[in-house]
Amino acid sequence: MLASNILDLVSLALDDEFNIHSPRPVLLSHLSRASQWIALRFRIIRHTVTIPLIPTAPFVDLLALVPRFFGVTHVALGGIPLAWAPYQSLRIRDPLWLQTPGTPTLYYRVGLRWLGLVPVPTVAGNLRVTGIVAPLPLLREDQQLEVPDAYMNRLIAVSTGLLLVTREHLVEEGLRRVADGLGMKARQSEAVTA
């Protein structure tokens, strides 16, 4: 589906068919943000990349290599999947986990940026990393959306909600639509000040 198709539907939802309150570039910007939120919330878009493994390097800088990665779902070394380990539990497994050399059997994450391997690799190789990525920003109306058509109603709800909050200053209604679009329960606020 093209971005222009969704923009027309968002304009109708805002009762702004002629784009008086929300010009098309503003609509496109909010649709771009909505598509990113929905893709990350529902883990829609996944990519697998090959990353070179450097001997004696316990960490791989994922964001430098793949800037769109937000989460890692699978890691394999030579076709063998590595098990995920919580960062906090590694010192319980092996107090010298950062200095133990060998063939990696576990991976862990430190924030969004770093992917760590345990034990520390001793030979070069290639990691196959599968992760959740955000869609590319929408820059043109004739651009194809990366979010599947099945999420169209959610895109309209989140885009409309964002526009209601930012352009119309209808915070409660906008937040309710964003929460509905993201499949979340909206919180009741006592007082909202703009």
Side-chain angles (χ1 to χ4, degrees):
M1 180 173 295
L2 296 177
S4 61
N5 300 357
I6 299 287
L7 293 179
D8 294 337
L9 296 171
V10 171
S11 292
L12 287 172
L14 290 170
D15 195 25
D16 189 17
E17 293 177 58
F18 301 107
N19 302 111
I20 296 168
H21 293 283
S22 300
R24 296 294 274 196
V26 173
L27 286 170
L28 188 62
S29 169
H30 284 75
L31 176 61
S32 181
R33 178 63 48 91
S35 70
Q36 291 172 347
W37 286 8
I38 288 170
L40 293 176
R41 167 79 167 104
F42 296 105
R43 299 172 171 241
I44 296 171
I45 306 169
R46 295 173 192 245
H47 286 296
T48 301
V49 295
T50 301
I51 296 175
L53 185 63
I54 301 169
T56 69
F59 303 106
V60 176
D61 187 354
L62 274 183
L63 286 185
L65 299 171
V66 190
R68 292 174 56 197
F69 261 24
F70 274 88
V72 172
T73 58
H74 299 88
V75 177
L77 177 61
I80 300 169
L82 303 182
W84 174 76
Y87 175 70
Q88 295 84 0
S89 71
L90 291 174
R91 65 179 172 78
I92 296 169
R93 291 177 188 252
D94 180 7
L96 301 173
W97 60 278
L98 270 176
Q99 296 148 351
T100 305
T103 302
T105 56
L106 303 171
Y107 77 93
Y108 61 94
R109 292 294 306 270
V110 180
L112 289 175
R113 180 167 213 108
W114 301 100
L115 173 73
L117 303 167
V118 174
V120 177
T122 54
V123 294
N126 288 320
L127 286 174
R128 298 268 306 157
V129 180
T130 302
I132 300 160
V133 296
L136 292 170
L138 297 172
L139 304 174
R140 299 178 328 272
E141 289 188 31
D142 63 347
Q143 194 171 341
Q144 187 76 22
L145 290 171
E146 289 184 73
V147 175
D149 294 352
Y151 292 88
M152 181 178 65
N153 289 337
R154 292 187 182 279
L155 279 172
I156 294 168
V158 173
S159 299
T160 305
L162 289 172
L163 285 160
L164 286 172
V165 170
T166 59
R167 301 292 289 184
E168 303 292 330
H169 304 293
L170 299 172
V171 176
E172 291 291 327
E173 175 66 15
L175 291 178
R176 186 187 60 74
R177 288 193 190 194
V178 169
D180 288 345
L182 293 176
M184 303 168 74
K185 184 179 177 183
R187 287 193 231 172
Q188 294 292 335
S189 63
E190 294 175 15
V192 177
T193 57

